[in-house]
Tab-separated table of all heavy atoms in Angstrom:
chain	number	residue	atom	x	y	z
A	252	ASP	N	-147.068	-84.406	-111.607
A	252	ASP	CA	-146.078	-83.812	-112.504
A	252	ASP	C	-145.350	-82.663	-111.808
A	252	ASP	O	-145.465	-81.501	-112.183
A	252	ASP	CB	-146.750	-83.315	-113.793
A	252	ASP	CG	-147.922	-82.380	-113.531
A	252	ASP	OD1	-148.666	-82.633	-112.568
A	252	ASP	OD2	-148.106	-81.414	-114.285
A	253	ASN	N	-144.557	-83.009	-110.797
A	253	ASN	CA	-143.700	-81.994	-110.187
A	253	ASN	C	-142.801	-81.409	-111.270
A	253	ASN	O	-142.234	-82.143	-112.068
A	253	ASN	CB	-142.846	-82.603	-109.081
A	253	ASN	CG	-143.681	-83.083	-107.910
A	253	ASN	OD1	-144.216	-84.191	-107.938
A	253	ASN	ND2	-143.808	-82.262	-106.894
A	254	GLY	N	-142.672	-80.082	-111.267
A	254	GLY	CA	-142.006	-79.473	-112.412
A	254	GLY	C	-140.897	-78.509	-112.077
A	254	GLY	O	-140.588	-78.229	-110.916
A	255	PHE	N	-140.266	-77.988	-113.155
A	255	PHE	CA	-139.274	-76.924	-113.028
A	255	PHE	C	-139.730	-75.746	-113.881
A	255	PHE	O	-140.518	-75.891	-114.824
A	255	PHE	CB	-137.879	-77.390	-113.450
A	255	PHE	CG	-137.740	-77.768	-114.902
A	255	PHE	CD1	-137.531	-76.804	-115.892
A	255	PHE	CD2	-137.799	-79.100	-115.295
A	255	PHE	CE1	-137.396	-77.148	-117.226
A	255	PHE	CE2	-137.659	-79.459	-116.627
A	255	PHE	CZ	-137.461	-78.483	-117.596
A	256	MET	N	-139.224	-74.553	-113.549
A	256	MET	CA	-139.636	-73.343	-114.256
A	256	MET	C	-138.505	-72.320	-114.214
A	256	MET	O	-137.920	-72.070	-113.157
A	256	MET	CB	-140.906	-72.780	-113.607
A	256	MET	CG	-141.434	-71.491	-114.203
A	256	MET	SD	-143.157	-71.162	-113.681
A	256	MET	CE	-143.036	-71.219	-111.876
A	257	GLN	N	-138.247	-71.723	-115.371
A	257	GLN	CA	-137.220	-70.688	-115.477
A	257	GLN	C	-137.830	-69.449	-116.127
A	257	GLN	O	-138.600	-69.558	-117.091
A	257	GLN	CB	-136.038	-71.189	-116.314
A	257	GLN	CG	-134.874	-70.216	-116.409
A	257	GLN	CD	-133.703	-70.813	-117.162
A	257	GLN	OE1	-133.874	-71.702	-118.007
A	257	GLN	NE2	-132.505	-70.356	-116.856
A	258	PHE	N	-137.496	-68.289	-115.600
A	258	PHE	CA	-138.006	-67.025	-116.130
A	258	PHE	C	-136.880	-66.230	-116.792
A	258	PHE	O	-135.773	-66.126	-116.238
A	258	PHE	CB	-138.603	-66.167	-115.004
A	258	PHE	CG	-139.774	-66.793	-114.299
A	258	PHE	CD1	-139.618	-67.384	-113.054
A	258	PHE	CD2	-141.034	-66.788	-114.885
A	258	PHE	CE1	-140.689	-67.949	-112.400
A	258	PHE	CE2	-142.116	-67.362	-114.244
A	258	PHE	CZ	-141.952	-67.940	-112.997
A	259	ASP	N	-137.189	-65.678	-117.949
A	259	ASP	CA	-136.240	-64.809	-118.643
A	259	ASP	C	-136.874	-63.429	-118.817
A	259	ASP	O	-137.513	-63.129	-119.816
A	259	ASP	CB	-135.876	-65.407	-120.010
A	259	ASP	CG	-134.815	-64.587	-120.746
A	259	ASP	OD1	-134.277	-63.623	-120.150
A	259	ASP	OD2	-134.544	-64.901	-121.923
A	260	HIS	N	-136.742	-62.609	-117.759
A	260	HIS	CA	-137.251	-61.237	-117.761
A	260	HIS	C	-138.736	-61.172	-118.165
A	260	HIS	O	-139.115	-60.489	-119.113
A	260	HIS	CB	-136.411	-60.350	-118.683
A	260	HIS	CG	-134.973	-60.245	-118.247
A	260	HIS	ND1	-133.997	-61.095	-118.722
A	260	HIS	CD2	-134.373	-59.392	-117.375
A	260	HIS	CE1	-132.837	-60.773	-118.172
A	260	HIS	NE2	-133.026	-59.748	-117.346
A	261	VAL	N	-139.551	-61.926	-117.453
A	261	VAL	CA	-140.984	-61.966	-117.719
A	261	VAL	C	-141.663	-60.810	-116.987
A	261	VAL	O	-141.496	-60.647	-115.774
A	261	VAL	CB	-141.591	-63.308	-117.266
A	261	VAL	CG1	-143.103	-63.297	-117.433
A	261	VAL	CG2	-140.975	-64.459	-118.054
A	262	ARG	N	-142.425	-60.017	-117.721
A	262	ARG	CA	-143.072	-58.844	-117.139
A	262	ARG	C	-144.521	-59.154	-116.736
A	262	ARG	O	-145.255	-59.790	-117.488
A	262	ARG	CB	-143.047	-57.663	-118.124
A	262	ARG	CG	-141.651	-57.065	-118.289
A	262	ARG	CD	-141.632	-55.899	-119.258
A	262	ARG	NE	-140.329	-55.226	-119.226
A	262	ARG	CZ	-140.030	-54.187	-118.463
A	262	ARG	NH1	-140.989	-53.644	-117.702
A	262	ARG	NH2	-138.824	-53.651	-118.460
A	263	ILE	N	-144.877	-58.682	-115.539
A	263	ILE	CA	-146.244	-58.828	-115.051
A	263	ILE	C	-146.700	-57.473	-114.502
A	263	ILE	O	-145.879	-56.664	-114.063
A	263	ILE	CB	-146.349	-59.906	-113.946
A	263	ILE	CG1	-145.495	-59.523	-112.732
A	263	ILE	CG2	-145.959	-61.275	-114.484
A	263	ILE	CD1	-145.684	-60.425	-111.525
A	264	PRO	N	-148.009	-57.201	-114.492
A	264	PRO	CA	-148.495	-55.920	-113.956
A	264	PRO	C	-148.199	-55.781	-112.465
A	264	PRO	O	-148.090	-56.783	-111.744
A	264	PRO	CB	-150.007	-55.984	-114.206
A	264	PRO	CG	-150.195	-57.033	-115.247
A	264	PRO	CD	-149.097	-58.030	-115.054
A	265	ARG	N	-148.082	-54.563	-112.005
A	265	ARG	CA	-147.845	-54.297	-110.581
A	265	ARG	C	-148.909	-54.977	-109.723
A	265	ARG	O	-148.617	-55.481	-108.631
A	265	ARG	CB	-147.857	-52.785	-110.323
A	265	ARG	CG	-147.588	-52.385	-108.860
A	265	ARG	CD	-147.681	-50.882	-108.677
A	265	ARG	NE	-149.043	-50.404	-108.900
A	265	ARG	CZ	-149.976	-50.337	-107.946
A	265	ARG	NH1	-149.699	-50.725	-106.707
A	265	ARG	NH2	-151.188	-49.891	-108.232
A	266	GLU	N	-150.148	-54.993	-110.213
A	266	GLU	CA	-151.251	-55.569	-109.448
A	266	GLU	C	-151.114	-57.075	-109.236
A	266	GLU	O	-151.893	-57.679	-108.500
A	266	GLU	CB	-152.584	-55.275	-110.147
A	266	GLU	CG	-152.978	-53.806	-110.167
A	266	GLU	CD	-152.251	-53.005	-111.239
A	266	GLU	OE1	-151.556	-53.632	-112.071
A	266	GLU	OE2	-152.368	-51.769	-111.241
A	267	ASN	N	-150.140	-57.704	-109.886
A	267	ASN	CA	-149.960	-59.146	-109.726
A	267	ASN	C	-149.102	-59.514	-108.521
A	267	ASN	O	-148.884	-60.688	-108.245
A	267	ASN	CB	-149.358	-59.758	-110.990
A	267	ASN	CG	-150.390	-59.957	-112.073
A	267	ASN	OD1	-151.353	-59.197	-112.161
A	267	ASN	ND2	-150.206	-60.964	-112.910
A	268	MET	N	-148.587	-58.499	-107.823
A	268	MET	CA	-147.981	-58.768	-106.522
A	268	MET	C	-149.123	-58.905	-105.514
A	268	MET	O	-149.994	-58.043	-105.427
A	268	MET	CB	-147.063	-57.614	-106.103
A	268	MET	CG	-146.545	-57.730	-104.681
A	268	MET	SD	-145.591	-56.263	-104.190
A	268	MET	CE	-145.324	-56.616	-102.449
A	269	LEU	N	-149.141	-60.008	-104.753
A	269	LEU	CA	-150.206	-60.195	-103.772
A	269	LEU	C	-149.988	-59.216	-102.621
A	269	LEU	O	-148.958	-59.244	-101.948
A	269	LEU	CB	-150.230	-61.640	-103.274
A	269	LEU	CG	-150.463	-62.700	-104.360
A	269	LEU	CD1	-150.677	-64.071	-103.738
A	269	LEU	CD2	-151.643	-62.340	-105.254
A	270	MET	N	-150.974	-58.340	-102.394
A	270	MET	CA	-150.746	-57.157	-101.566
A	270	MET	C	-151.645	-57.041	-100.338
A	270	MET	O	-151.955	-55.946	-99.890
A	270	MET	CB	-150.902	-55.889	-102.419
A	270	MET	CG	-149.922	-55.781	-103.567
A	270	MET	SD	-149.989	-54.131	-104.340
A	270	MET	CE	-149.001	-54.398	-105.811
A	271	LYS	N	-152.060	-58.155	-99.770
A	271	LYS	CA	-152.879	-58.056	-98.562
A	271	LYS	C	-152.082	-57.510	-97.376
A	271	LYS	O	-152.590	-56.719	-96.574
A	271	LYS	CB	-153.461	-59.425	-98.203
A	271	LYS	CG	-154.333	-59.410	-96.953
A	271	LYS	CD	-154.950	-60.774	-96.684
A	271	LYS	CE	-155.850	-60.741	-95.456
A	271	LYS	NZ	-156.484	-62.064	-95.198
A	272	HIS	N	-150.828	-57.943	-97.253
A	272	HIS	CA	-150.032	-57.581	-96.085
A	272	HIS	C	-148.947	-56.546	-96.389
A	272	HIS	O	-148.574	-55.766	-95.527
A	272	HIS	CB	-149.399	-58.830	-95.470
A	272	HIS	CG	-150.408	-59.862	-95.061
A	272	HIS	ND1	-151.374	-59.619	-94.113
A	272	HIS	CD2	-150.608	-61.138	-95.484
A	272	HIS	CE1	-152.128	-60.697	-93.951
A	272	HIS	NE2	-151.685	-61.633	-94.774
A	273	SER	N	-148.394	-56.565	-97.567
A	273	SER	CA	-147.402	-55.570	-97.974
A	273	SER	C	-147.654	-55.242	-99.437
A	273	SER	O	-148.257	-56.038	-100.162
A	273	SER	CB	-145.979	-56.102	-97.782
A	273	SER	OG	-145.786	-57.307	-98.499
A	274	ARG	N	-147.175	-54.078	-99.890
A	274	ARG	CA	-147.475	-53.682	-101.261
A	274	ARG	C	-146.434	-52.695	-101.783
A	274	ARG	O	-145.648	-52.126	-101.011
A	274	ARG	CB	-148.872	-53.071	-101.354
A	274	ARG	CG	-149.046	-51.753	-100.623
A	274	ARG	CD	-150.502	-51.265	-100.724
A	274	ARG	NE	-150.674	-49.922	-100.191
A	274	ARG	CZ	-150.899	-49.654	-98.910
A	274	ARG	NH1	-150.975	-50.646	-98.038
A	274	ARG	NH2	-151.048	-48.400	-98.500
A	275	VAL	N	-146.468	-52.499	-103.090
A	275	VAL	CA	-145.639	-51.504	-103.760
A	275	VAL	C	-146.573	-50.529	-104.463
A	275	VAL	O	-147.421	-50.938	-105.260
A	275	VAL	CB	-144.674	-52.156	-104.774
A	275	VAL	CG1	-143.946	-51.087	-105.593
A	275	VAL	CG2	-143.669	-53.051	-104.059
A	276	GLU	N	-146.429	-49.250	-104.150
A	276	GLU	CA	-147.250	-48.218	-104.782
A	276	GLU	C	-146.752	-47.946	-106.202
A	276	GLU	O	-145.622	-48.315	-106.553
A	276	GLU	CB	-147.194	-46.925	-103.952
A	276	GLU	CG	-147.697	-47.066	-102.526
A	276	GLU	CD	-149.198	-47.255	-102.448
A	276	GLU	OE1	-149.857	-47.327	-103.503
A	276	GLU	OE2	-149.723	-47.371	-101.327
A	277	PRO	N	-147.574	-47.322	-107.050
A	277	PRO	CA	-147.152	-47.046	-108.435
A	277	PRO	C	-145.808	-46.331	-108.531
A	277	PRO	O	-145.018	-46.591	-109.441
A	277	PRO	CB	-148.290	-46.172	-108.977
A	277	PRO	CG	-149.495	-46.624	-108.207
A	277	PRO	CD	-148.994	-46.913	-106.836
A	278	ASP	N	-145.509	-45.433	-107.577
A	278	ASP	CA	-144.248	-44.693	-107.649
A	278	ASP	C	-143.071	-45.462	-107.067
A	278	ASP	O	-141.954	-44.948	-106.991
A	278	ASP	CB	-144.383	-43.343	-106.942
A	278	ASP	CG	-144.640	-43.495	-105.444
A	278	ASP	OD1	-144.778	-44.646	-104.972
A	278	ASP	OD2	-144.702	-42.461	-104.754
A	279	GLY	N	-143.303	-46.711	-106.632
A	279	GLY	CA	-142.221	-47.522	-106.084
A	279	GLY	C	-142.110	-47.483	-104.578
A	279	GLY	O	-141.228	-48.130	-104.004
A	280	THR	N	-142.987	-46.781	-103.914
A	280	THR	CA	-142.979	-46.757	-102.448
A	280	THR	C	-143.384	-48.137	-101.915
A	280	THR	O	-144.402	-48.694	-102.319
A	280	THR	CB	-143.948	-45.693	-101.903
A	280	THR	OG1	-143.558	-44.421	-102.415
A	280	THR	CG2	-143.909	-45.669	-100.376
A	281	TYR	N	-142.569	-48.667	-100.998
A	281	TYR	CA	-142.846	-49.997	-100.438
A	281	TYR	C	-143.505	-49.855	-99.073
A	281	TYR	O	-143.003	-49.165	-98.195
A	281	TYR	CB	-141.550	-50.796	-100.301
A	281	TYR	CG	-141.729	-52.136	-99.612
A	281	TYR	CD1	-142.443	-53.163	-100.218
A	281	TYR	CD2	-141.188	-52.362	-98.344
A	281	TYR	CE1	-142.615	-54.386	-99.593
A	281	TYR	CE2	-141.350	-53.587	-97.701
A	281	TYR	CZ	-142.074	-54.592	-98.333
A	281	TYR	OH	-142.245	-55.802	-97.706
A	282	ILE	N	-144.651	-50.509	-98.904
A	282	ILE	CA	-145.374	-50.543	-97.634
A	282	ILE	C	-145.218	-51.952	-97.065
A	282	ILE	O	-145.739	-52.914	-97.629
A	282	ILE	CB	-146.873	-50.210	-97.812
A	282	ILE	CG1	-147.043	-48.925	-98.641
A	282	ILE	CG2	-147.545	-50.104	-96.455
A	282	ILE	CD1	-146.454	-47.705	-98.013
A	283	LYS	N	-144.491	-52.065	-95.948
A	283	LYS	CA	-144.203	-53.406	-95.433
A	283	LYS	C	-145.340	-53.951	-94.572
A	283	LYS	O	-146.185	-53.199	-94.065
A	283	LYS	CB	-142.907	-53.401	-94.630
A	283	LYS	CG	-142.954	-52.638	-93.322
A	283	LYS	CD	-141.620	-52.776	-92.592
A	283	LYS	CE	-141.657	-52.061	-91.242
A	283	LYS	NZ	-140.364	-52.221	-90.529
A	284	ALA	N	-145.341	-55.269	-94.398
A	284	ALA	CA	-146.361	-55.941	-93.588
A	284	ALA	C	-146.147	-55.651	-92.109
A	284	ALA	O	-145.040	-55.327	-91.675
A	284	ALA	CB	-146.306	-57.450	-93.836
A	285	LYS	N	-147.221	-55.761	-91.319
A	285	LYS	CA	-147.113	-55.572	-89.879
A	285	LYS	C	-146.180	-56.604	-89.260
A	285	LYS	O	-145.498	-56.338	-88.281
A	285	LYS	CB	-148.495	-55.678	-89.228
A	285	LYS	CG	-149.465	-54.571	-89.618
A	285	LYS	CD	-150.809	-54.778	-88.936
A	285	LYS	CE	-151.821	-53.717	-89.341
A	285	LYS	NZ	-153.149	-53.934	-88.700
A	286	ASN	N	-146.188	-57.790	-89.825
A	286	ASN	CA	-145.351	-58.877	-89.315
A	286	ASN	C	-144.873	-59.682	-90.505
A	286	ASN	O	-145.682	-60.122	-91.336
A	286	ASN	CB	-146.150	-59.756	-88.344
A	286	ASN	CG	-145.281	-60.777	-87.632
A	286	ASN	OD1	-144.533	-61.524	-88.256
A	286	ASN	ND2	-145.379	-60.805	-86.309
A	287	SER	N	-143.562	-59.916	-90.602
A	287	SER	CA	-143.008	-60.605	-91.773
A	287	SER	C	-143.545	-62.018	-91.916
A	287	SER	O	-143.625	-62.557	-93.027
A	287	SER	CB	-141.475	-60.648	-91.673
A	287	SER	OG	-141.060	-61.351	-90.506
A	288	LYS	N	-143.939	-62.640	-90.810
A	288	LYS	CA	-144.417	-64.027	-90.865
A	288	LYS	C	-145.811	-64.141	-91.472
A	288	LYS	O	-146.280	-65.244	-91.763
A	288	LYS	CB	-144.384	-64.662	-89.480
A	288	LYS	CG	-142.970	-64.947	-88.987
A	288	LYS	CD	-142.985	-65.665	-87.653
A	288	LYS	CE	-141.591	-66.121	-87.239
A	288	LYS	NZ	-140.649	-65.031	-87.084
A	289	LEU	N	-146.502	-63.010	-91.661
A	289	LEU	CA	-147.815	-63.057	-92.284
A	289	LEU	C	-147.744	-63.609	-93.700
A	289	LEU	O	-148.699	-64.204	-94.194
A	289	LEU	CB	-148.435	-61.656	-92.307
A	289	LEU	CG	-148.928	-61.107	-90.961
A	289	LEU	CD1	-149.274	-59.627	-91.081
A	289	LEU	CD2	-150.127	-61.891	-90.465
A	290	THR	N	-146.608	-63.432	-94.371
A	290	THR	CA	-146.466	-63.915	-95.747
A	290	THR	C	-146.270	-65.426	-95.805
A	290	THR	O	-146.271	-66.002	-96.885
A	290	THR	CB	-145.276	-63.224	-96.444
A	290	THR	OG1	-144.087	-63.479	-95.700
A	290	THR	CG2	-145.506	-61.728	-96.525
A	291	TYR	N	-146.071	-66.069	-94.654
A	291	TYR	CA	-145.854	-67.511	-94.627
A	291	TYR	C	-147.120	-68.276	-94.249
A	291	TYR	O	-147.074	-69.433	-93.863
A	291	TYR	CB	-144.733	-67.869	-93.636
A	291	TYR	CG	-143.404	-67.203	-93.926
A	291	TYR	CD1	-142.487	-66.955	-92.915
A	291	TYR	CD2	-143.076	-66.804	-95.225
A	291	TYR	CE1	-141.271	-66.339	-93.175
A	291	TYR	CE2	-141.858	-66.185	-95.491
A	291	TYR	CZ	-140.964	-65.951	-94.469
A	291	TYR	OH	-139.760	-65.343	-94.735
A	292	GLY	N	-148.271	-67.613	-94.358
A	292	GLY	CA	-149.527	-68.229	-93.938
A	292	GLY	C	-149.834	-69.525	-94.650
A	292	GLY	O	-150.331	-70.476	-94.053
A	293	THR	N	-149.540	-69.595	-95.951
A	293	THR	CA	-149.830	-70.817	-96.710
A	293	THR	C	-149.038	-71.995	-96.172
A	293	THR	O	-149.560	-73.104	-96.022
A	293	THR	CB	-149.503	-70.614	-98.201
A	293	THR	OG1	-150.278	-69.520	-98.692
A	293	THR	CG2	-149.839	-71.860	-99.004
A	294	MET	N	-147.758	-71.769	-95.879
A	294	MET	CA	-146.928	-72.854	-95.367
A	294	MET	C	-147.445	-73.363	-94.029
A	294	MET	O	-147.451	-74.569	-93.778
A	294	MET	CB	-145.480	-72.396	-95.228
A	294	MET	CG	-144.762	-72.237	-96.539
A	294	MET	SD	-143.025	-71.920	-96.278
A	294	MET	CE	-143.091	-70.398	-95.346
A	295	VAL	N	-147.866	-72.445	-93.154
A	295	VAL	CA	-148.393	-72.854	-91.859
A	295	VAL	C	-149.647	-73.694	-92.054
A	295	VAL	O	-149.839	-74.718	-91.384
A	295	VAL	CB	-148.692	-71.622	-90.986
A	295	VAL	CG1	-149.415	-72.032	-89.710
A	295	VAL	CG2	-147.404	-70.886	-90.643
A	296	PHE	N	-150.508	-73.288	-92.982
A	296	PHE	CA	-151.718	-74.059	-93.268
A	296	PHE	C	-151.363	-75.466	-93.754
A	296	PHE	O	-151.921	-76.462	-93.274
A	296	PHE	CB	-152.559	-73.347	-94.326
A	296	PHE	CG	-153.693	-74.177	-94.864
A	296	PHE	CD1	-154.820	-74.406	-94.097
A	296	PHE	CD2	-153.618	-74.740	-96.135
A	296	PHE	CE1	-155.865	-75.189	-94.585
A	296	PHE	CE2	-154.651	-75.513	-96.628
A	296	PHE	CZ	-155.783	-75.743	-95.842
A	297	VAL	N	-150.422	-75.553	-94.680
A	297	VAL	CA	-150.055	-76.855	-95.229
A	297	VAL	C	-149.414	-77.727	-94.159
A	297	VAL	O	-149.632	-78.945	-94.122
A	297	VAL	CB	-149.125	-76.694	-96.444
A	297	VAL	CG1	-148.632	-78.051	-96.941
A	297	VAL	CG2	-149.856	-75.967	-97.572
């Protein structure tokens, strides 16, 4: 069942951003990953 999905301003907690490599602090400070390609790990595995 390949699907489609549309979001209309859906709110999620800050902690729901996956933050192993990069993150957003409570005050909005962004901490970037050491290497941008680290976020593509799943695709490389697949």
Side-chain angles (χ1 to χ4, degrees):
D252 53 322
N253 294 83
F255 64 82
M256 178 164 55
Q257 184 176 26
F258 298 102
D259 184 6
H260 298 92
V261 175
R262 288 180 171 267
I263 62 172
R265 181 183 66 88
E266 293 79 8
N267 281 31
M268 172 185 173
L269 300 189
M270 299 190 191
K271 180 177 182 179
H272 302 299
S273 57
R274 66 183 188 274
V275 173
E276 300 289 3
D278 64 356
T280 301
Y281 175 68
I282 310 298
K283 68 177 182 179
K285 294 179 182 179
N286 188 308
S287 60
K288 289 184 172 61
L289 287 169
T290 58
Y291 302 153
T293 302
M294 287 188 299
V295 172
F296 170 74
V297 175

